[in-house]
Every structure is written in structure tokens, then in C-alpha cells.
Amino acid sequence: MKITNAKYMKDMATDETVGIAATIDGTDATVPLDPANRHYDEIMRQVAAGTLTIADAD
Amino acid sequence: MSKAAELAALIGSQTALSNRNLIINGAMQVAQRGTSSTGTGYQTVDRFQGTNSGLDESNTQAQVDVASGTTPYSLGFRKAFRITNGNQTSGADAGDIVNYRYIFEAQDIANSGWDYTSSSSYVTLSFWAKSSVAQTFYGHMKTFDGTVYNYPFSLGALSADTWTKVTKTIPGNSGLQIDNDNGQGLEFRIVMFYGTDRTASVTENAWAVYDNTQRTPDNTSTWYTTNDATFEITGVQLEVGEQATPFEHRSFADELHRCQRYYAVRENTAGSLKYYGRTLQAYGAASVFGLIADYPVTMRATPTVSQSGTFGAYKANSGNNAMATAIQNLYATSHSWGTGGWSGNSNLTAGHAVVMYAENNAKLMADAEL
């Protein structure tokens, strides 16, 4: 799974971090902060492996 | 003995009389993502993956029609899942992979009635398969929880271009662990080709502790080295018990509903500029926020969300087009798509209601697959 451009996303109204915006296999998507989500699991695996960095939210 | 008693004796007491098939979309009816793709993983037929690695040329996975006059057609199967090989010019390398993959949600197996820790309790996997190349193929079943176990099996020798019913009865094993949760519980793969990085002299039809380098016996590479070779499956069923019973046909609506626990699409197919989703609220002069629409069913987990096409929004009671872009800051809650701040260029005031629309074929997707 190729994941690029990972960046935390915040809800403007609540300032709560609500997900990670990323490009997954060429598709822009938002991944929830849910360990049961396979994309979140893969992002965390790649972060732990040092092959992916998640940028801070704007 | 009555016919009913004879049937009960034949199928055994372990077999459920309804909802027998633990596979979702086993007749390949539902393909929400599309009907053809050169990608890998979940691309076409719902719940089934066509996975590959190490290819010189991409293969194509597709939902295809079952030809009339064939035995699967006469049994009520109208769709199949086909993988068409690419041109693997460098031959069969050790790391190359092409297979079908299906992953069960753990709680569906834990609650199925299969006493998976008992060697005298069984599940039976059955499906129709057709290869354009005559060859013996393999498959395997694998657990995820606790110590991972693997069960390799042969599909037998398939004749070229001939639909064959494959049936494998699989016992439990005291080492198996399948948790009662929404995670990965059990998977099976039907393998067109594994290079030698994944194969070894393993014992067929027996559970053993999983070794990623010993998934199945060594594979013949004829199919893999044949350009445009095809493989098709349909009528996939996994049921509790020692006997393969006739396929449990379900309606399209029933299968779609089951699939939507794992993947959902909300698409405007009614033409341009159709109202879509809930009324949003202006956050300030140039942004709106709020929940857009609920998923059609409760999903397995909070999904990954994405979009395609053009969406927009009007300031209510004015007709002014507030924005006409992709939805910004699209995100998922446990139950709905939402936007955490979608900016436009109109003169909004905080608290204004904003009416959302979608251009034709604009759609939102939610992916909670295993």
C-alpha cells in the first residue's frame, strides 16, 4: 500500500483532530484515528518503520 | 425415513438451515467499486481481493458474466470474478504472487457454530473454478489471532476452460484462536501463483503454525507464464459441517446490504445539481461544516472516506452558489461523512444554513474493509 502526503486534519469548529488526510494508492482520502481501520493500521506501521511521516494539521 | 430426515442425516447436525453461507457476495453479484481494474487488492467484486506482487505487466481483475449453457449458469450463477494475467516477461520469479483473497470478520466465525478448536468439527469450503490453463492449483486458509495457523490444500487438477466444483472440508484444531470481535478472523486464498519465497514442502490438508515462506506446496508456473491466462471463480461458500450443501443464493439487495458493512458508495445518479446530504452550517464568512450523510448501514469500523466528482452548496434562501469544489476537509465519524471546514467565496454569516448539491456521478465512498 503506497501512502504519501499524510497530514493530520482538524475540525475547524471544534479544533479536534478528526483524521489523517493522505494519498493512498493514488487516491486522496481521509483515514480515521481508529485502530480497527486497515489504512490507519498501515499508516502507523509505516510511521513506526520510519518510512512515513505525518505532518501537523494546518 | 422421511425425505426431511434423510436430508438432515446427509448434511449433519452441525449445519445451519439458514444463513449457511459465511461468505458475503459469494455469487459475485455486487461490485460497488467498478467492474474492471488493473490494480491490486479490493478493486471490483465486493469483499474479494485480487492481490498480486512482482508482476512485469499488471493483471486485470473483473466482474464478468457466466456464459449461458454452462453448469454454473444453470445453477443460477450469472456473475464471476475473473483474473486475467499480464505478460510476465521475466518468468516466474521467487517473489511473484497472484491470488484471490477473502477475509472473514472474526466474530462471524466465532459465532458461526464451528467448534474450531475441535478436530472433529468442520467447515466446508466450496466454489466453482475455471482456468484457461490446465494445471493443479493450491489454496490455503489462515487464522490471525493468537498463534497464526495455516491450512494448505489443493484444488486438484483443473482442465482448461472447464468449470469445476471444488470442495474442501476443513477440521478445527486445538491451536486455533478466533476472537469474538470485528477484526480479521480467518482468510482463505485461491492461488494462481506463488513464487518459491512463499512455498515449500508443506503437508496438505493439515493445520500447522503459519510460516510466511511456507504457505503452500511449490506451484507449477504454467498459468503464470502464459500471457492473458484467465482464472474465474463463483459460487463461493463456507459453511459449518462436513458436507457441501447447495449454494445459498441471496437476493442482490441482501448481498449489497451485507457488503455495505465493509464498503459503501453514495452517488448522485439522477443528473446534475441534485440536492445531496444534509443542510450544512456556515462557520464564518467563507466556510461551512457539519455532517453530510449517514452510511447506509453500520460499518465494521470507522471507514476511510474519499470522494470523486464535483459537489457544491448554496446559501439557503438566496440561490447564491457558495462553493462548487471537491468537499474540503472530508472526514468520517463512526456513522457519517462530514466536513470539518469547507471554504467557498460567498458572503456567508456564521450560522447560515447551506444547502448541499452534487453534480451527476459525484460520489462519496467509505471503506471499512478488513
Side-chain angles (χ1 to χ4, degrees):
Chain A
M1 192 180 298
K2 185 178 181 182
I3 300 175
T4 57
N5 304 320
K7 183 178 186 179
Y8 283 109
M9 177 188 292
K10 285 193 173 185
D11 186 308
M12 291 172 59
T14 64
D15 204 36
E16 175 190 8
T17 300
V18 292
I20 300 169
T23 304
I24 303 173
D25 294 331
T27 299
D28 292 335
T30 306
V31 178
L33 308 178
D34 181 351
N37 179 289
R38 65 191 172 104
H39 297 121
Y40 180 77
D41 186 57
E42 177 63 18
I43 286 173
M44 292 299 106
R45 191 192 67 76
Q46 292 189 20
V47 168
T51 58
L52 180 68
T53 301
I54 308 172
D56 292 336
D58 291 330
Chain B
M1 183 181 288
S2 68
K3 293 295 183 187
E6 289 178 7
L7 176 62
L10 174 65
I11 63 180
S13 59
Q14 293 178 337
T15 302
L17 296 178
S18 63
N19 294 309
R20 284 176 288 113
N21 193 358
L22 299 170
I23 302 278
I24 298 169
N25 201 29
M28 313 299 168
Q29 297 178 82
V30 181
Q32 295 185 83
R33 295 172 179 83
T35 56
S36 182
S37 171
T38 55
T40 183
Y42 294 105
Q43 297 289 336
T44 57
V45 176
D46 278 56
R47 302 275 25 250
F48 284 81
Q49 300 182 61
T51 61
N52 62 68
S53 181
L55 306 186
D56 298 310
E57 182 182 53
S58 298
N59 56 30
T60 301
Q61 55 174 295
Q63 182 197 46
V64 298
D65 292 331
V66 174
S68 62
T70 63
T71 300
Y73 187 94
S74 66
L75 295 175
F77 297 105
R78 296 295 182 266
K79 296 292 182 183
F81 184 7
R82 174 190 291 164
I83 292 178
T84 302
N85 194 23
N87 189 8
Q88 312 311 333
T89 53
S90 67
D93 297 325
D96 296 351
I97 292 173
V98 179
N99 62 38
Y100 297 98
R101 186 183 190 196
Y102 184 97
I103 305 174
F104 297 88
E105 188 170 336
Q107 59 192 340
D108 287 347
I109 301 299
N111 292 279
S112 68
W114 180 31
D115 184 3
Y116 50 84
T117 60
S118 168
S119 60
S120 59
S121 182
Y122 301 87
V123 285
T124 298
L125 175 69
S126 59
F127 56 92
W128 288 91
K130 184 175 76 169
S131 168
S132 65
V133 174
Q135 185 183 314
T136 295
F137 294 91
Y138 293 99
H140 62 114
M141 190 163 279
K142 182 171 82 70
T143 62
F144 291 90
D145 296 319
T147 301
V148 177
Y149 276 72
N150 186 55
Y151 187 96
F153 56 83
S154 170
L155 276 61
L158 299 186
S159 301
D161 298 316
T162 304
W163 281 108
T164 302
K165 179 77 175 286
V166 176
T167 300
K168 304 302 299 185
T169 297
I170 299 168
N173 180 281
S174 60
L176 304 190
Q177 178 180 332
I178 300 173
D179 295 342
N180 187 24
D181 62 21
N182 65 346
Q184 297 173 322
L186 185 71
E187 74 165 15
F188 70 86
R189 299 188 192 222
I190 300 168
V191 181
M192 275 85 268
F193 183 70
Y194 275 157
T196 53
D197 284 353
R198 300 286 181 271
T199 65
S201 296
V202 298
T203 302
E204 292 179 42
N205 304 317
W207 288 103
V209 173
Y210 179 70
D211 181 332
N212 192 38
T213 67
Q214 300 182 13
R215 297 180 183 182
T216 69
D218 290 338
N219 288 193
T220 304
S221 62
T222 312
W223 186 95
Y224 185 70
T225 54
T226 301
N227 187 25
D228 294 333
T230 61
F231 201 101
E232 296 178 44
I233 58 171
T234 193
V236 185
Q237 178 155 287
L238 182 79
E239 59 195 306
V240 177
E242 293 184 67
Q243 304 292 333
T245 64
F247 184 82
E248 181 186 12
H249 291 278
R250 300 184 188 124
S251 69
F252 180 86
D254 189 3
E255 291 288 15
L256 175 62
H257 189 267
R258 292 171 190 244
C259 291
Q260 286 172 328
R261 177 170 171 78
Y262 304 91
Y263 186 82
V265 179
R266 183 183 172 93
E267 179 175 7
N268 169 31
T269 58
S272 63
L273 299 180
K274 298 300 181 184
Y275 292 137
Y276 183 101
R278 296 174 180 156
T279 299
L280 302 174
Q281 186 174 14
Y283 176 73
S287 295
V288 300
F289 73 99
L291 300 180
I292 296 170
D294 289 344
Y295 312 130
V297 304
T298 300
M299 301 196 77
R300 182 192 63 84
T302 307
T304 297
V305 291
S306 59
Q307 61 184 308
S308 72
T310 300
F311 295 91
Y314 290 104
K315 186 166 69 174
N317 295 324
S318 74
N320 291 337
N321 196 352
M323 59 273 287
T325 64
I327 300 167
Q328 295 173 341
N329 292 318
L330 178 71
Y331 75 93
T333 72
S334 59
H335 56 278
S336 61
W337 289 276
T339 174
W342 183 8
S343 298
N345 55 9
S346 67
N347 295 318
L348 298 169
T349 299
H352 267 157
V354 175
V355 181
M356 186 179 171
Y357 68 81
E359 296 278 9
N360 198 36
N361 298 128
K363 58 186 176 183
L364 295 179
M365 287 76 79
D367 184 338
E369 265 297 357
L370 288 159

